[in-house]
Amino acid sequence: MSDWIQHIYTIVRKIPKGKVTNYGAIADVVGARTTSRMVGWAMNAAHRVTPPVPAHRVVNRKGLLTGRHHFGTPTLMQELLEAEGIKIDENQVVDFEKHFWKPE
DNA sequence: TCACTGACCGTGG
DNA sequence: ACCACGGCCAGTG
């Protein structure tokens, strides 16, 4: 695995419970060497790495749950977020900016 | 080996 | 406000 992928996993694992972030923010922290699309790719491969990565806390810039189909069931991602106190409406995070967590 | 694709985002027409 | 395009890396056929 390349460094930037490990870097992404490390960052995602730092996301506090009840918070969410977006692909662009992660790409920004990792550096200009990667783009948000690469972050998405990394998440696709994240489910087979250990320790587990809370990929459900990563959404796109509009707060849309674009990755929900990559979970076991189409609703699993939403359920995980709601279990942490984040409300979802029409596959979108309610008050996204309020729950947004900027990685560093 | 080459070509295409992907859980995205910002910019320009 | 809508549409198209470039960027960046690894896996797959």
Side-chain angles (χ1 to χ4, degrees), chain A residues 13-20 56-57 80 83-86:
Chain A
R13 283 194 276 253
K14 283 183 187 168
I15 302 175
K17 181 183 174 187
K19 294 288 181 181
V20 294
H56 61 280
R57 293 181 186 145
L80 288 170
E84 296 181 356
I86 296 175

Side-chain angles (χ1 to χ4, degrees), chain A residues 20-86:
Chain A
V20 294
T21 190
N22 63 39
Y23 301 95
I26 294 171
D28 189 42
V29 172
V30 172
R33 305 167 37 194
T34 191
T35 68
S36 46
R37 197 191 298 208
M38 298 306 103
V39 178
W41 179 89
M43 290 302 100
N44 190 19
H47 71 88
R48 53 183 165 185
V49 304
T50 54
V53 177
H56 61 280
R57 293 181 186 145
V58 183
V59 298
N60 76 356
R61 81 179 186 97
K62 297 171 196 160
L64 238 43
L65 308 183
T66 53
R68 78 199 141 114
H69 277 301
H70 292 271
F71 288 78
T73 69
T75 56
L76 181 59
M77 186 176 185
Q78 174 171 346
E79 289 171 10
L80 288 170
L81 288 172
E82 288 180 335
E84 296 181 356
I86 296 175

